[in-house]
Amino acid sequence: MSATLPRLEMRGVSLDYGANRVLNEVDFELAGGSVHALVGANGAGKSSLISVLAGVRRSYAGRITIDDHEVALRSPRQTRRHGIFVVQQEVDVALVPSLSVAENIALDAIATSTAQLLDRRMLRRQARELLARLDLRLDVDRPVARLSLAQKQQLLIARALASGCRFLVLDEPTAPLDADETERLLALVAQLKAEGLAIALVSHRLEELDRSCDRISVLRNGRRVHTGEMVAISVEGIAEQMLGRRLGSLFPHRKACVGAPLLEVEGLKDARLKGIDLRLHAGEILGVAGLAGAGKSELCKALFGVTRTRLRRGSLRGRPWRPRSPHRSSGEGIALVPEERRSEGVLIDADVTTNLTLAARGSFSRWGLFDHRAARSWARHTITRLGIRADHERQPLAQLSGGNQQKVAIGKWLLEDAEIYLLDEPTKGIDIHAKQELYATLVELAEAGKGILYASGEFSELLGLCDRICVLRDGRLVAEQNARSLNEERLTLLASGTSLDV
């Protein structure tokens, strides 16, 4: 550990987006050799505070000091010069997929180098030495396009260290990771803490913070409403600070009324799936549990007709059926809400009305003309029904929080009255309040007789929400049980293959 530990202090930081104040006199500190959690509901101001640290919000007001010297963070170059590095949740935007691991690690140095030729042998040697110090097993010659998401995160952390990082900000680093990948990442965070780095950890997974962080700050509506030692507050206390009220029950009570089978497949296969047998009933929430790479996303996309599949037998509402294409599936009352909602589930740069009418099959068209007034009326109705927090139906979707974007991704299927919902990691990257609201929406759909397939690596929510749970491992269905007969430990053993007693 360095003899002199770095320290960063933000005092009275405010930030406006137009007439909207998103940060209001916020204080925040980072100290070397410690991890400071930053939490808050979607829209609380976390991303705005991170953007100030990243140097992309020049118009902030307030005072920032590093090692007791006042600094200005008005550009990304300035922040890097002060040793501040941010690893964003969307890791691909910071990487060049066609370049190797070694080249991406050295990208900052390459960008500022005046040398005419690169010493690639030296780049590879330095990359190997750095990765070995961090105990990261990455092939320095592998193109980044062939890395997993967890490996890309590791690479960005390595790049930060190669560039002289003193303050490391991790934005939702565990959101897309399974349990094993999360453990490895948190172990790396602990190592960097021991080496004297000052680390900010932004996360919606509150249960991870207790064992990873030393201090915690909670933002609500652009203000810091709590800061203190991690050991002095419970997970329930954090949630209550985030919401400004008592949390209550996370999972809504519902009257289970499972009806006839809606969707049945036997022997479903594609390039990843290996003979899946599955049945989904009306009024049922069927969980699909699995670690990263188990085949959850592939199953959802196969059932929706995104990928080419083979199956021994299939039926939809009792009639012979097979998945053929997304267009045909949507016409058959099947809806998909994919894991990557921003790139696959919605048009992020379009407005709320456009997104809520994406799946409309001619409902707003008359004589070849689109009825914009009717579309906006439907959008306002859906906004009210799902509790979507938007200023108005014409607001760009990109301005909504992650939880509200997810509601829009579901709401676009309500117009055509879909009967089967395929949800792939639906709570990824959304806060605890948004999760509560999403669970309530799904329960409402189930009670209306819809069939919901809920694929997730968050085993606690599967246990709290689902009627039955199927477990996928390496593209195979290895278990199927009533949710009430399972617990998190049992699911983890089944998903990892540690126990084959089903």
Side-chain angles (χ1 to χ4, degrees):
M1 184 180 290
S2 171
T4 304
L5 295 177
R7 183 170 184 83
L8 181 149
E9 296 184 0
M10 307 175 80
R11 293 288 177 258
V13 171
S14 297
L15 181 67
D16 297 332
Y17 291 163
N20 184 28
R21 173 146 292 194
V22 294
L23 292 176
N24 198 335
E25 298 287 326
V26 173
D27 294 348
F28 187 67
E29 309 84 25
L30 289 176
S34 69
V35 182
H36 195 144
L38 178 64
V39 301
N42 290 112
K46 305 184 302 297
S47 296
S48 298
L49 191 66
I50 290 172
S51 70
V52 172
L53 282 172
V56 298
R57 299 296 176 191
R58 301 180 60 185
S59 60
Y60 75 86
R63 186 169 183 265
I64 301 175
T65 64
I66 294 178
D67 301 332
D68 296 324
H69 299 289
E70 186 167 357
V71 299
L73 302 180
R74 307 293 181 183
S75 72
R77 177 173 293 183
Q78 285 181 321
T79 64
R80 287 195 296 270
R81 189 160 58 237
H82 291 297
I84 304 170
F85 288 82
V86 178
V87 178
Q88 300 282 0
Q89 187 175 351
E90 304 292 337
V91 294
D92 286 323
V93 301
L95 296 168
V96 181
S98 60
L99 296 183
S100 69
V101 167
E103 290 165 335
N104 270 275
I105 287 176
L107 204 58
D108 289 338
I110 293 172
T112 57
S113 174
T114 58
Q116 297 296 315
L117 296 175
L118 289 177
D119 187 340
R120 299 185 184 278
R121 182 178 298 178
M122 182 183 70
L123 290 185
R124 289 197 296 271
R125 187 185 72 250
Q126 291 175 340
R128 289 192 189 97
E129 292 173 353
L130 176 60
L131 294 172
R133 176 167 74 84
L134 299 175
D135 195 26
L136 298 178
R137 295 172 176 81
L138 296 178
D139 180 355
V140 298
D141 295 315
R142 172 171 289 196
V144 164
R146 292 169 52 194
L147 297 183
S148 70
L149 196 115
Q151 290 173 323
K152 291 175 182 177
Q153 286 184 331
Q154 294 171 351
L155 190 158
L156 286 177
I157 293 173
R159 180 201 290 173
L161 296 179
S163 302
C165 176
R166 303 170 71 217
F167 305 96
L168 179 64
V169 181
L170 301 175
D171 183 14
E172 292 287 352
T174 64
L177 306 184
D178 66 27
D180 289 340
E181 292 170 334
T182 295
E183 288 299 322
R184 288 195 290 272
L185 180 68
L186 295 181
L188 177 57
V189 169
Q191 178 184 341
L192 298 177
K193 167 187 166 181
E195 293 182 5
L197 260 68
I199 302 170
L201 178 61
V202 182
S203 180
H204 287 308
R205 292 182 172 180
L206 303 184
E207 67 279 358
E208 295 172 356
L209 304 180
D210 183 52
R211 55 197 177 94
S212 306
C213 302
D214 303 286
R215 292 180 60 78
I216 182 168
S217 290
V218 183
L219 299 184
R220 185 171 72 240
N221 298 327
R223 297 178 181 271
R224 189 180 75 171
V225 296
H226 172 84
T227 193
E229 298 298 316
M230 192 71 232
V231 295
I233 189 169
S234 65
V235 170
E236 292 77 13
I238 297 171
E240 290 170 7
Q241 289 286 350
M242 289 169 57
L243 302 177
R245 58 176 173 79
R246 294 188 65 83
L247 177 61
S249 176
L250 183 58
F251 300 103
H253 174 74
R254 73 183 177 101
K255 299 175 182 178
C257 187
V258 176
L262 280 177
L263 179 68
E264 297 180 85
V265 294
E266 294 180 4
L268 178 67
K269 296 181 180 180
D270 67 4
R272 185 75 181 92
L273 304 174
K274 303 167 185 175
I276 301 294
D277 296 347
L278 183 139
R279 180 184 294 111
L280 175 65
H281 297 81
E284 179 181 38
I285 302 179
L286 173 65
V288 177
L291 304 178
K296 303 187 301 296
S297 296
E298 291 83 353
L299 175 60
C300 292
K301 290 180 177 179
L303 292 172
F304 195 59
V306 176
T307 55
R308 296 183 63 180
T309 58
R310 293 171 288 131
L311 74 165
R312 190 166 58 252
R313 187 184 74 85
S315 69
L316 181 65
R317 305 181 197 89
R319 297 182 178 181
W321 170 87
R322 65 179 300 112
R324 298 184 186 277
S325 71
H327 180 75
R328 182 160 179 169
S329 294
S330 63
E332 294 168 331
I334 302 174
L336 172 66
V337 180
E339 178 180 8
E340 298 301 331
R341 61 176 176 266
R342 291 176 64 93
S343 59
E344 298 178 353
V346 295
L347 299 178
I348 196 64
D349 293 322
D351 64 17
V352 173
T353 295
T354 299
N355 276 280
L356 286 173
T357 55
L358 278 176
R361 301 170 67 86
S363 300
F364 301 110
S365 296
R366 296 183 64 186
W367 304 299
L369 298 176
F370 189 79
D371 190 339
H372 291 279
R373 180 177 297 178
R376 290 194 295 271
S377 177
W378 165 256
R380 288 193 295 270
H381 167 76
T382 309
I383 287 169
T384 301
R385 176 180 172 182
L386 298 183
I388 298 170
R389 290 183 177 84
D391 294 337
H392 47 76
E393 72 276 7
R394 298 185 186 182
Q395 186 173 2
L397 190 68
Q399 294 181 4
L400 271 59
S401 68
N404 286 297
Q405 290 174 9
Q406 192 70 304
K407 289 181 185 179
V408 171
I410 294 172
K412 75 178 186 181
W413 297 106
L414 298 180
L415 178 64
E416 298 300 318
D417 199 27
E419 288 190 79
I420 295 168
Y421 287 79
L422 310 173
L423 305 177
D424 185 9
E425 299 287 359
T427 60
K428 174 182 172 182
I430 67 176
D431 67 66
I432 194 166
H433 181 49
K435 288 180 181 180
Q436 277 187 310
E437 293 183 330
L438 179 62
Y439 298 152
T441 298
L442 299 182
V443 166
E444 178 186 333
L445 291 171
E447 290 180 341
K450 313 300 184 185
I452 298 169
L453 186 147
Y454 192 104
S456 177
E458 297 282 350
F459 296 161
S460 60
E461 65 183 18
L462 293 176
L463 293 166
L465 194 63
C466 300
D467 301 291
R468 288 184 299 129
I469 298 176
C470 299
V471 181
L472 275 179
R473 185 174 70 245
D474 296 328
R476 300 181 187 276
L477 190 66
V478 297
E480 179 184 329
Q481 294 185 16
N482 188 298
R484 286 175 292 183
S485 68
L486 292 165
N487 56 35
E488 285 193 61
E489 181 182 11
R490 177 75 170 154
L491 274 179
T492 301
L493 292 174
L494 290 168
S496 64
T498 305
S499 170
L500 299 180
D501 176 18
V502 299

